[in-house]
């Protein structure tokens, strides 16, 4: 038996012992219309290959780890791959209708929800229109997906203030997913490594700090933001970001009484998923800076291939079973955290219920 086989055998034992009905808030979908749009644009600009995907395969992956509910979302590049015009607006609506139909169908209503799809935020009016559709007409999403950059703008850019105001109005849950960084050279390793490997965690870190320092998060007390992949490098850099506000030249630019204490309070508001982030170093770093009640489970299926998810779950299960702090991120705790935040942000007639049909499985 190879070392990997022995490792996975041990993992299977741990996972069985830790069996719980998980809720996966970082699980992706590639609907046909989206695949077509990415192909028409020349492929994923991150350099990462687009995986094959079906609803059936999603359920099969969930069943392997007793995941009862998955909240589907688009990974990067999302609808911005189609530009900022009417075609992109139509694509966003088509995808939201696809997700709405799929997650309320008899086959999947008790297993799947979705984060709503938005146009490129540089199309402010189109984004506002789609938010109104999601929250006033369709009323099915569990929140919305946003990206860490739009063109040359971070999400806290003043141009996006109307979007944050509308998110605040709807008390939205925002799943912040890393996006392509406009850097040169674009790929690490002389073109060998696509951006998700190294740059995506940095993108998440930059966006999170931006949302705090621009006071965007402070202006939206009813909005909660989930950071992907344990916050990227944020656990390592958050004290550096907070400490910088004591530098006189930086502090002089702060307004409204915003200071180090305010920044620390706002950083504490983030939620984090553990998709692709289950090593001891990652989990300890996350626990060092995050409230354990704000940590959620995520698999990153299908962008993480099943063999990778298996290995990552093995490490997670071993951490929970053996580490002194393992109980803080147990499957039961992460499930309870997800259930609480999803219920908090449920909309319309489904307020407090997560979404139609979830009551049977949550």
């Amino acid at each position: 038996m190879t070392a990997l086989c022995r490792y996975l055998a041990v993992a299977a034992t741990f996972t069985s012992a830790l069996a719980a009905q998980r809720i996966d808030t970082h699980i992706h979908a590639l609907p046909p219309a989206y695949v077509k749009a990415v192909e028409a644009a020349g492929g994923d600009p991150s350099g990462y290959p687009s995986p094959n995907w079906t609803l059936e395969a999603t359920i099969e992956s969930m069943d392997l780890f007793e995941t009862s509910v998955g909240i589907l979302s688009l990974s990067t590049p999302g609808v911005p791959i189609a530009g900022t015009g009417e075609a992109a607006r139509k694509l966003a609506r088509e995808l939201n209708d696809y997700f709405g139909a799929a997650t309320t169908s008899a086959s999947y209503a008790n297993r799947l929800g979705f984060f709503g799809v938005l146009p490129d935020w540089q199309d402010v009016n189109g984004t506002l229109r789609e938010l109104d559709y999601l929250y006033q007409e369709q009323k099915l999403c569990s929140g919305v997906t946003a990206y860490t950059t739009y063109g040359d703008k971070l999400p806290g850019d003043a141009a996006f203030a109307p979007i944050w105001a509308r998110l605040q109005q709807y008390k939205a849950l925002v799943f912040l997913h890393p996006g392509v960084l406009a850097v040169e050279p674009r790929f690490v390793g002389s073109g060998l490594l696509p951006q998700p490997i190294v740059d995506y965690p940095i993108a998440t870190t930059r966006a999170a700090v931006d949302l705090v320092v621009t006071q965007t998060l402070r202006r939206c007390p009813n909005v909660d933001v989930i950071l992907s992949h344990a916050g990227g490098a944020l656990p390592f850099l958050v004290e550096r970001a907070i400490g910088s506000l004591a530098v006189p030249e930086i502090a002089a630019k702060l307004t409204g009484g915003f200071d180090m204490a305010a920044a620390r309070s706002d950083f504490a508001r983030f939620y984090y998923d553990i998709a692709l982030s289950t090593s001891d170093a990652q989990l300890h770093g996350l626990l060092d800076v995050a409230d354990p009640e704000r940590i959620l489970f995520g698999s990153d299926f299908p962008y993480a291939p099943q063999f990778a998810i298996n290995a990552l779950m093995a490490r997670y299960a071993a951490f929970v079973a053996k580490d002194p702090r393992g109980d803080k991120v147990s499957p039961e705790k992460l499930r309870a955290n997800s259930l609480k935040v999803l219920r908090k942000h449920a909309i319309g007639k489904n307020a407090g219920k997560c979404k139609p049909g979830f009551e049977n499985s949550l």
Side-chain angles (χ1 to χ4, degrees):
M1 178 181 287
T2 66
L4 176 60
C5 289
R6 286 194 297 272
Y7 184 62
L8 293 179
V10 172
T13 301
F14 281 138
T15 303
S16 177
L18 295 171
Q21 294 294 301
R22 306 177 203 277
I23 300 173
D24 189 340
T25 59
H26 191 145
I27 186 167
H28 293 304
L30 292 91
Y34 176 61
V35 172
K36 183 178 179 180
V38 172
E39 290 176 347
D44 187 336
S46 75
Y48 200 82
S50 294
N52 294 321
W53 174 84
T54 64
L55 284 166
E56 294 77 13
T58 299
I59 297 298
E60 290 174 5
S61 180
M62 289 167 59
D63 286 346
L64 285 175
F65 298 106
E66 300 195 18
T67 298
S68 61
V69 170
I71 309 299
L72 301 175
S73 60
L74 286 188
S75 184
T76 303
V79 171
I81 195 69
T84 57
E86 187 60 30
R89 293 184 180 188
K90 290 180 179 178
L91 177 61
R93 180 63 54 84
E94 182 177 359
L95 293 172
N96 283 323
D97 287 342
Y98 174 92
F99 281 131
T103 60
T104 55
S105 68
S107 299
Y108 304 112
N110 291 337
R111 302 296 304 276
L112 297 175
F114 72 101
F115 289 128
V117 178
L118 298 175
D120 189 316
W121 281 21
Q122 294 174 107
D123 176 12
V124 174
N125 289 333
T127 301
L128 295 177
R129 185 177 74 174
E130 201 59 23
L131 281 169
D132 290 342
Y133 175 71
L134 288 165
Y135 282 88
Q136 292 186 4
E137 296 182 45
Q138 191 188 48
K139 297 182 179 181
L140 292 173
C141 69
S142 294
V144 296
T145 298
Y147 299 114
T148 51
T149 52
Y150 292 95
D152 62 354
K153 295 180 175 61
L154 289 161
D157 192 279
F160 302 144
I163 296 173
W164 285 104
R166 195 64 56 87
L167 292 168
Q168 166 67 9
Q169 174 186 334
Y170 290 131
K171 301 179 180 181
L173 177 61
V174 175
F175 172 59
L176 187 65
H177 193 278
V180 175
L181 282 178
V183 295
E184 292 296 337
R186 173 168 287 191
F187 304 121
V188 172
S190 298
L192 176 64
L193 296 182
Q195 286 207 342
I197 307 304
V198 174
D199 296 311
Y200 275 16
I202 302 302
T204 298
T205 306
R206 296 177 84 241
V209 173
D210 181 68
L211 289 175
V212 170
V213 173
T214 61
Q215 301 185 53
T216 300
L217 209 60
R218 177 146 294 227
R219 289 190 291 272
C220 300
N222 294 325
V223 175
D224 284 317
V225 177
I226 301 171
L227 301 180
S228 302
H229 308 298
L234 190 62
F236 180 75
L237 295 175
V238 66
E239 289 299 327
R240 187 180 179 97
I242 293 171
S244 73
L245 303 185
V247 177
E249 291 82 358
I250 297 176
K253 299 178 182 179
L254 302 176
T255 61
F258 193 74
D259 56 14
M260 291 174 62
R264 189 177 300 279
S265 175
D266 288 354
F267 276 115
R269 286 184 49 197
F270 286 120
Y271 286 79
Y272 301 80
D273 70 50
I274 62 168
L276 305 185
S277 306
T278 60
S279 71
D280 289 5
Q282 289 167 315
L283 292 173
H284 277 300
L286 183 56
L287 286 168
D288 283 345
V289 302
D291 181 344
E293 293 189 359
R294 290 175 176 264
I295 300 175
L296 315 175
F297 175 74
S299 68
D300 212 356
F301 179 87
Y303 285 86
Q306 194 61 55
F307 75 85
I309 296 175
N310 295 346
L312 290 161
M313 286 292 288
R315 300 188 75 170
Y316 164 63
F319 183 89
V320 173
K322 293 185 173 183
D323 193 276
R325 294 204 286 182
D327 64 308
K328 295 183 181 296
V329 290
S330 69
E332 294 80 9
K333 293 285 183 64
L334 301 194
R335 173 187 166 80
N337 296 344
S338 297
L339 180 56
K340 184 176 180 179
V341 73
L342 289 171
R343 283 181 170 166
K344 176 182 177 182
H345 291 281
I347 59 178
K349 65 181 179 180
N350 303 306
K353 300 179 182 179
C354 291
K355 73 173 282 291
F358 272 22
E359 296 81 10
N360 294 333
S361 55
L362 291 180

